[in-house]
Amino acid sequence: MKRPAFILAWETTQACSLGCLHCRASASLERGKDELSVPEISRVFQQATKIGKGIIIFSGGEPLLRNDLEEAVREAVSAGHNAAISTADGSLLSTERLDSLAKAGVSRFSFSIHFHEPRKHDEFTGRKGVLQSAIEAFNRIKTKKMEFQVNTTILPENYEDLEAMFRKIIEWKASSWHLFFTVPTGRACGKENLRLSSDQIEKILKWLAEMLAKGVEIPIKVTCAPQFSRILTQRGVSEFKTRGRSCMAGNGFVFVSSTGDVKPCGYFNLIAGNVRKQPFDEIYLHSEVFENLRNASLLEGKCGMCSYKEICGGCRAKAYATGSGIFGPDPDCLWSESIHITQKVEDFS
């Protein structure tokens, strides 16, 4: 299951100008004193090319708070990677900053937008005018003939309003829509009001599968709900079987924190090594954490027994965050192989 690390997310800083209720980074207003410097992250980008040239996501916190961001982008592009900026505060993406980042080599932006109604989104992010600032940034990006995607975390407050959200995203002319499902880490830890039930998640994923079957205007991607691959396969989308496991943590996706800790993903609070002590490529290829994550035979509980484990694998970050361990069952998947088999036997008899 060893795929190239074609997506590397770098947490540029833990500082942020917003205060989203579910923040993975538990971001604050102040930048840390021990953040990786541009020369340090440049070495990581160079070492990553030994595995594969792919996409570097400049994440945070809020990456636009770093005044040396352009320099880091140039280093990523020089190493042969594509550079994408993951932001949430459109007010920081002025025309001048946009020009500067475009010149440095940024190919795409992503914005975290969780509600299409200004009041709800602003309340969730902790500041008035956030949604309007994002929409204005969208227009500036389109003027430059660049692309942006919208990232939406599915919450109990918005999951019944997703169709309206999708229509807004089309209206904004986003290039794609990425849907995230809450992992209880960071500020979301212990907040059950931010998490959906397994039944609600299954309902949403089936709705998405129906949308994709009918055809949609822009690509839609699901993150932190790898059981979507099982739902698509059950619908007969056989090509999904050739793409590797849906949970890409440590197997196609890797996260480097602002202080150099290497983790399978940003929601996975398990450190495999630190780039200040060991080359990035050695950590990714040879750390025990990553090697084990690529071995589906180590999965336990219902994920270990599931016939879809090679294409799904369950969300490892959720299993770890909820106390089931790195190989435990995904708490948000309602599929049970044993129940399914029992039902088949009863139907036959």
Side-chain angles (χ1 to χ4, degrees):
M1 298 296 293
K2 290 186 180 180
R3 293 184 291 197
F6 60 91
I7 302 178
L8 187 160
W10 173 41
E11 180 188 56
T12 57
T13 180
Q14 282 198 321
C16 190
S17 47
L18 305 182
C20 300
L21 297 176
H22 69 323
C23 180
R24 169 208 60 77
S26 297
S28 63
L29 293 173
E30 300 295 325
R31 286 181 58 183
K33 297 179 180 180
D34 201 25
E35 293 174 353
L36 290 176
S37 66
V38 171
E40 285 178 313
I41 198 62
S42 178
R43 285 194 294 272
V44 173
F45 296 155
Q46 292 291 341
Q47 291 160 359
T49 62
K50 298 178 182 179
I51 303 165
K53 296 178 180 179
I55 300 171
I56 306 295
I57 301 175
F58 291 81
S59 181
E62 176 51 72
L64 295 176
L65 292 176
R66 282 194 66 142
N67 57 15
D68 58 357
L69 184 61
E70 283 85 348
E71 186 181 352
V73 168
R74 284 192 289 270
E75 292 296 320
V77 174
S78 176
H81 304 290
N82 292 317
I85 303 293
S86 177
T87 181
D89 189 351
S91 69
L92 297 175
L93 194 61
S94 64
T95 299
E96 294 74 22
R97 194 71 195 275
L98 181 58
D99 287 339
S100 177
L101 288 167
K103 186 176 179 180
V106 171
S107 58
R108 174 181 284 221
F109 293 88
S110 68
F111 286 78
S112 296
I113 307 293
H114 313 297
F115 297 90
H116 64 85
E117 298 176 42
R119 179 185 60 80
K120 290 184 178 180
H121 185 69
D122 294 353
E123 286 179 356
F124 190 79
T125 58
R127 201 182 76 201
K128 190 175 181 180
V130 173
L131 182 57
Q132 182 58 38
S133 293
I135 294 171
E136 291 170 2
F138 297 164
N139 293 331
R140 289 192 289 272
I141 291 170
K142 288 182 289 187
T143 299
K144 300 296 179 183
K145 308 297 183 184
M146 299 178 73
E147 292 186 345
F148 70 92
Q149 70 185 48
V150 171
N151 298 336
T152 300
T153 297
I154 311 303
L155 304 157
E157 286 187 65
N158 68 8
Y159 92 100
E160 291 185 330
D161 201 27
L162 292 178
E163 287 192 40
M165 183 71 179
F166 182 63
R167 288 195 296 271
K168 272 293 181 183
I169 290 169
I170 297 299
E171 179 183 314
W172 295 331
K173 299 189 184 306
S175 57
S176 62
W177 188 27
H178 289 213
L179 288 83
F180 289 72
F181 290 81
T182 306
V183 178
T185 188
R187 278 205 285 269
C189 185
K191 294 181 180 177
E192 290 302 313
N193 63 313
L194 296 178
R195 297 186 64 198
L196 298 163
S197 69
S198 298
D199 287 331
Q200 289 170 328
I201 293 173
E202 188 85 359
K203 179 181 177 181
I204 292 166
L205 295 178
K206 288 182 177 178
W207 169 72
L208 286 171
E210 289 291 334
M211 283 183 64
L212 294 177
K214 295 175 182 177
V216 289
E217 295 94 326
I218 59 173
I220 296 176
K221 185 178 183 297
V222 170
T223 298
C224 301
Q227 62 266 43
F228 191 44
S229 62
R230 181 253 303 166
I231 290 172
L232 290 175
T233 301
Q234 289 171 335
R235 288 188 55 89
V237 186
S238 57
E239 64 265 26
F240 215 94
K241 297 179 181 179
T242 66
R243 300 180 186 177
R245 263 203 328 273
S246 287
C247 182
M248 295 169 59
N251 186 35
F253 188 100
V254 63
F255 176 89
V256 178
S257 80
S258 61
T259 57
D261 288 334
V262 180
K263 302 179 182 181
C265 79
Y267 303 103
F268 210 141
N269 197 24
L270 184 66
I271 300 170
N274 189 287
V275 298
R276 284 174 166 156
K277 300 176 181 178
Q278 187 180 0
F280 167 79
D281 53 303
E282 289 185 9
I283 297 171
Y284 179 81
L285 291 174
H286 304 300
S287 72
E288 183 178 1
V289 170
F290 284 168
E291 285 192 339
N292 287 340
L293 280 171
R294 297 174 191 129
N295 186 354
S297 68
L298 296 177
L299 296 175
E300 301 169 351
K302 65 180 183 181
C303 284
M305 294 185 292
C306 186
S307 60
Y308 296 99
K309 66 182 178 182
E310 293 291 348
I311 62 168
C312 172
C315 179
R316 299 297 93 221
K318 286 180 186 175
Y320 189 76
T322 53
S324 296
I326 185 173
F327 305 116
D330 183 337
D332 285 349
C333 180
L334 57 72
W335 181 259
S336 174
E337 201 75 8
S338 59
I339 293 175
H340 182 60
I341 292 171
T342 301
Q343 289 174 339
K344 277 190 171 183
V345 171
E346 290 175 350
D347 290 344
F348 181 76
S349 59

